[in-house]
């Protein structure tokens, strides 16, 4: 097992040495010293050494990472932490090693990215217990190919209760019949690469019997060739259903709903990249699923609209992720102002149970709403203008936002302020406590300068009550991420903004000013301004500035993320100037 130890990179424990020294003292040591050594050894391990072996087995199982194949998204190292922890446990002491090796259920994981001897050892130690078999897909560079992995697992498939396979389309023929497997969780993804869509229906269907389908509790399948009408009909024991990339017009919204109804205890529903028939029954009455906790819809607008019209919003929902695409021209407004109306209490509750919802405005006219904590909310306002999306958010979210609990945050990327009506709409949003502005790969100074000027200009409640007040009166944090800054403009804005507070005795919170730089890896050709300590000090001493922060910003798939800390600066000997390190 040398390679297994190297693979896990776990430090060797010292307690076995202590045990050997304590239990096998030299012959010259008298009985009192021998007894003292044994007592010291027991004191070293107590009180956990006094626990029954059966209780230790349960403790180990609870302490190890989860084996739920639905809990991760095709991570090559999804089960590496589990196996590493298991090998560490068995090196603590001889007693723990015996317990771990003698508990078959702990050795349930067989993964193609593990060394072969680790898998073979697990197959032996697992005895006749149920197995979790995982092939993490064609994109990883270590481990064995599917045709090499299959002979290892095939003799043990009759013990497989959780199966996860990510395979290429040409390997579908190699997948054995799944009917004999005692499956409770099935996760399959087929990679068609550049295979034409019209060829997909010609791929051999994966075989699984009606009886096997009825025993499954969790299904996550993406672009899998199956008899979908029959499959959905017999998934009566489901708690988790995730369908993706099914290009089959024989499936309808009603069939999906029928599968959910027959399941009774459905807890999680995920639909992504589906192109299916969207025919609905004449009945418009919603169906309520009392145990449904999570809904994720990343699919076309027609299907999203059909499902949300027929699924009744449950008070048990803790996750709502809606990213509709491809709306017909007449649908977007009716979707947000009709279909989503019954879901507004759910959206509000998820926002209330977070540390502050965040609105994302991208420079390409898209708008997103996200709220995370114990609960999760994510909405993309597909085919809706940013102004219309902001107004929807204001009407729905503003009544439940709490300034003391984070308020509402706004992240703006690039030149979104230049989009018609966006800046004017933002000024009307209540409880806006943070604004984070990040650039894109083009100059957007004109857009940002307009925004900075607005921050320093007073506004009025209405024509009838022309009392001056500051724009964004609840703003506590302003982040201007860039490569360079016009500090004179920023300082002038702060002076104007907080002179209004002094003149009209308004309660405007001090600002936390974040002038973090874009990471050196982002657009290296840009000239970068280094803010001197004296300039930072002058900013900090202005009335209304609570603190000034600097860090480094890296790019995220959706936006830019701040890495807290200092910016590395070195001295350029050739130019005799400070430079980015």
């Amino acid at each position: 097992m040398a390679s297994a130890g190297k693979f896990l990179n776990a430090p060797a424990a010292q307690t076995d040495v202590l045990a050997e020294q304590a239990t096998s003292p030299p012959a010259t040591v008298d009985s009192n010293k021998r007894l003292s050594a044994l007592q010291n050894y027991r004191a070293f391990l107590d009180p956990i050494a006094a626990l029954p072996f059966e209780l230790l087995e349960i403790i180990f199982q609870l302490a190890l990472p989860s084996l739920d194949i639905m809990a991760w998204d095709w991570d090559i190292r999804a089960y590496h932490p589990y196996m590493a922890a298991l090998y560490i446990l068995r090196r603590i002491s001889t007693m723990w090693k015996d317990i771990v090796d003698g508990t078959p259920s702990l050795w349930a994981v067989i993964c193609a990215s593990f060394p072969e001897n680790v898998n073979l050892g697990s197959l032996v130690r697992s005895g006749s217990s149920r197995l979790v078999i995982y092939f993490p897909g064609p994109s990883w560079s270590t481990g064995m190919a599917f045709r090499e992995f299959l002979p290892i697992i095939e003799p043990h498939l009759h013990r497989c209760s959780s199966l996860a396979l990510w395979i290429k389309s040409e390997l579908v023929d190699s997948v054995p019949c799944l009917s004999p497997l005692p499956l409770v969780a099935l996760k399959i993804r087929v990679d068609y690469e550049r295979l034409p869509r019209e060829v997909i229906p010609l791929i051999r269907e994966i075989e699984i019997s009606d009886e096997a389908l009825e025993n499954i509790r969790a299904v996550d399948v993406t672009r899998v060739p199956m008899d979908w009408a029959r499959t959905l009909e017999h998934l009566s024991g489901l708690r988790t259903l995730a369908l993706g990339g099914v290009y089959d017009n024989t499936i309808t919204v009603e069939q999906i709903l029928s599968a959910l109804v027959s399941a009774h205890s459905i807890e999680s529903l995920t639909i992504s990249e589906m192109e299916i028939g969207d025919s609905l029954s004449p009945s418009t009455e919603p169906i309520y699923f009392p145990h449904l906790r999570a809904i994720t819809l990343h699919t076309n607008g027609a299907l999203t609209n059909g499902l949300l019209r027929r699924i009744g919003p449950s008070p048990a929902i803790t996750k709502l992720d809606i990213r509709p695409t491809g709306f017909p021209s007449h649908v977007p407004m009716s979707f947000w102002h009709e279909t989503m109306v019954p879901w507004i209490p759910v959206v509000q509750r998820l926002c209330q149970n977070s540390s502050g919802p965040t609105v994302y405005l991208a420079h390409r006219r898209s708008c997103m709403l996200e709220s995370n904590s114990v609960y999760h909310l994510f909405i993309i306002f597909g085919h809706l203008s940013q102004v219309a999306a902001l107004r929807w958010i204001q009407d729905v979210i503003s009544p439940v936002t709490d300034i003391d609990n984070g308020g509402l945050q706004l992240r703006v990327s690039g030149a979104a302020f230049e989009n018609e009506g966006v800046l004017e709409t933002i000024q009307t949003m209540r409880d806006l406590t943070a604004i984070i502005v990040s650039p894109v790969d083009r100059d957007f100074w004109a857009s940002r300068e307009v925004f900075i000027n607005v921050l320093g200009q007073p506004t009025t409640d209405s024509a009838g009550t022309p009392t001056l007040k500051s724009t964004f009166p609840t703003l506590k944090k302003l982040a201007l991420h860039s490569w360079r800054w016009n500090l004179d403009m920023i300082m002038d804005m702060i002076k104007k903004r907080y002179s209004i507070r002094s003149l009209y005795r308004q309660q405007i919170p001090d600002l936390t000013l974040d002038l973090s730089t874009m990471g050196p890896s982002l657009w290296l050709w840009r000239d970068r301004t280094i803010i001197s300590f004296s300039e930072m000090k002058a900013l900090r001493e202005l009335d209304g500035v609570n603190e000034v922060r600097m860090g480094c910003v890296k790019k995220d798939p959706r936006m830019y993320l701040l890495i807290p800390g200092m910016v590395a600066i070195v001295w350029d000997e050739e130019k005799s100037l400070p430079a980015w390190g």
Side-chain angles (χ1 to χ4, degrees):
M1 300 299 288
S3 63
K6 182 179 180 182
F7 155 68
L8 296 164
N9 195 27
Q14 304 297 322
T15 53
D16 287 335
V17 177
L18 290 173
E20 184 178 353
Q21 292 175 349
T23 54
S24 304
T28 56
V29 179
D30 57 36
S31 58
N32 290 333
K33 289 185 178 181
R34 186 183 299 114
L35 180 60
S36 175
L38 287 171
Q39 290 174 339
N40 289 337
Y41 173 61
R42 290 188 61 84
F44 176 77
L45 290 179
D46 285 341
I48 197 169
L51 294 176
F53 285 5
E54 295 80 7
L55 185 56
L56 280 173
E57 291 176 9
I58 297 173
I59 292 174
F60 291 164
Q61 289 172 337
L62 294 175
L64 288 167
S66 171
L67 293 179
D68 183 9
I69 64 173
M70 302 294 167
W72 37 260
D73 187 19
W74 298 109
D75 183 0
I76 179 178
R77 293 187 173 272
Y79 285 130
H80 285 222
Y82 178 94
M83 192 58 68
L86 195 61
Y87 271 84
I88 290 172
L89 280 177
R90 68 194 298 271
R91 298 177 69 178
I92 297 298
S93 69
T94 302
M95 180 181 70
W96 282 26
K97 179 177 181 296
D98 291 342
I99 294 173
V100 171
D101 290 351
T103 307
S105 60
L106 295 178
W107 298 94
V109 181
I110 309 299
C111 178
S113 61
F114 289 172
E116 184 176 354
N117 59 335
V118 172
N119 283 328
L120 293 176
S122 296
L123 288 170
V124 172
R125 296 188 182 103
S126 62
S128 59
S129 63
R130 295 286 186 253
L131 295 177
V132 175
I133 297 177
Y134 177 37
F135 185 79
S139 61
W140 51 274
S141 58
T142 60
M144 59 186 70
F146 183 67
R147 287 194 174 95
E148 297 172 351
F149 185 57
L150 191 58
I152 295 175
I153 63 172
E154 205 158 18
H156 306 274
L157 283 176
H158 65 281
R159 297 195 281 133
C160 179
S161 62
S162 296
L163 177 66
L165 303 175
W166 184 357
I167 58 176
K168 293 183 179 181
S169 57
E170 60 265 26
L171 294 174
V172 171
D173 289 341
S174 302
V175 177
C177 177
L178 304 181
S179 299
L181 279 60
L183 290 173
V184 294
L186 177 64
K187 187 170 185 173
I188 301 181
R189 178 170 182 164
V190 178
D191 187 356
Y192 290 98
E193 295 182 337
R194 295 179 177 85
L195 199 65
R197 183 180 300 180
E198 57 269 17
V199 179
I200 294 177
L202 303 179
I203 303 294
R204 181 185 73 86
E205 293 182 354
I206 291 178
E207 300 178 36
I208 185 167
S209 67
D210 297 347
E211 293 78 13
L213 288 171
E214 290 170 357
N215 292 325
I216 294 178
R217 298 294 175 264
V219 168
D220 183 348
V221 286
T222 303
R223 297 190 290 273
V224 176
M226 298 181 74
D227 182 349
W228 283 106
R230 181 183 64 85
T231 299
L232 289 173
E233 182 181 351
H234 289 88
L235 289 172
S236 57
L238 274 184
R239 293 184 180 176
T240 298
L241 175 62
L243 300 177
V246 178
Y247 306 110
D248 186 349
N249 286 322
T250 63
I251 305 177
T252 65
V253 173
E254 291 300 330
Q255 286 176 317
I256 295 175
L257 290 171
S258 296
L260 301 182
V261 170
S262 62
H264 302 296
S265 299
I266 189 72
E267 297 177 0
S268 176
L269 173 66
T270 299
I271 305 291
S272 61
E273 300 177 15
M274 297 277 280
E275 293 186 12
I276 65 176
D278 62 342
S279 61
L280 291 170
S281 67
S283 171
T284 57
E285 290 297 319
I287 304 170
Y288 290 88
F289 304 94
H291 303 286
L292 187 60
R293 296 181 294 104
I295 297 179
T296 302
L297 302 177
H298 298 179
T299 189
N300 65 70
L303 179 55
T304 303
N305 187 53
L307 285 171
L308 290 182
R309 280 171 52 197
R310 295 303 313 279
I311 297 175
S314 167
I317 290 178
T318 59
K319 176 182 179 181
L320 183 64
D321 191 330
I322 303 174
R323 311 184 191 191
T325 59
F327 273 117
S329 58
H330 64 284
V331 172
M333 294 303 295
S334 64
F335 174 78
W336 297 108
H337 295 285
E338 294 176 14
T339 304
M340 285 298 294
V341 168
W343 292 89
I344 287 177
V346 175
V347 173
Q348 292 177 331
R349 179 170 53 81
L350 296 180
C351 286
Q352 280 182 302
N353 287 279
S354 72
S355 57
T358 301
V359 178
Y360 296 86
L361 290 179
H363 65 289
R364 292 176 181 170
R365 299 186 178 275
S366 63
C367 181
M368 296 166 279
L369 173 65
E370 183 176 29
S371 179
N372 272 312
S373 59
V374 179
Y375 298 156
H376 175 79
L377 172 71
F378 194 94
I379 298 176
I380 292 182
F381 296 86
H383 295 261
L384 201 62
S385 70
Q386 287 185 336
V387 170
L390 288 170
R391 288 173 178 165
W392 190 92
I393 293 170
Q394 182 178 5
D395 291 341
V396 172
I397 303 302
S398 292
V400 297
T401 51
D402 182 1
I403 296 177
D404 296 329
N405 193 33
L408 183 64
Q409 302 181 47
L410 175 67
R411 297 183 68 97
V412 181
S413 175
F417 288 133
E418 295 179 5
N419 296 335
E420 184 178 357
V422 167
L423 193 52
E424 292 80 2
T425 306
I426 291 173
Q427 293 180 61
T428 65
M429 300 182 74
R430 301 183 298 274
D431 300 331
L432 194 60
T433 58
I435 300 178
I436 299 96
V437 185
S438 298
V440 289
D441 54 349
R442 70 180 183 88
D443 199 345
F444 75 118
W445 266 100
S447 171
R448 194 168 64 173
E449 286 180 1
V450 171
F451 167 65
I452 293 175
N453 286 331
V454 167
L455 281 172
Q457 293 172 355
T459 185
T460 59
D461 291 322
S462 66
T465 55
T467 303
L468 293 177
K469 66 172 187 177
S470 293
T471 53
F472 310 111
T474 58
L475 189 65
K476 298 179 181 179
K477 176 182 177 180
L478 175 63
L480 301 172
H481 300 157
S482 188
W483 310 272
R484 56 191 176 92
W485 299 265
N486 187 333
L487 292 183
D488 291 337
M489 177 178 288
I490 294 173
M491 295 177 74
D492 185 56
M493 175 270 292
I494 293 172
K495 291 175 182 177
K496 289 180 178 178
R497 177 177 178 82
Y498 288 95
S499 66
I500 301 172
R501 178 172 68 175
S502 302
L503 289 172
Y504 296 97
R505 298 180 180 179
Q506 296 177 0
Q507 297 297 321
I508 305 172
D510 289 347
L511 271 183
T512 293
L513 192 60
D514 185 342
L515 300 179
S516 294
T517 181
M518 306 306 293
S521 62
L522 298 174
W523 306 298
L524 296 173
W525 61 88
R526 298 264 183 190
D527 291 331
R528 301 173 186 273
T529 301
I530 295 176
I531 302 175
S532 68
F533 177 78
S534 59
E535 291 171 322
M536 295 288 287
K537 185 172 182 291
L539 271 174
R540 175 63 184 84
E541 291 176 348
L542 289 176
D543 178 40
V545 177
N546 181 48
E547 62 178 299
V548 179
R549 296 179 179 178
M550 289 194 70
C552 187
V553 179
K554 69 175 183 177
K555 198 169 185 180
D556 180 72
R558 290 199 312 274
M559 281 285 175
Y560 296 94
L561 298 180
L562 175 65
I563 306 173
M566 297 299 294
V567 179
I569 300 174
V570 297
W571 185 260
D572 189 328
E573 294 289 350
E574 294 181 1
K575 298 181 179 179
S576 297
L577 292 171
W580 296 96

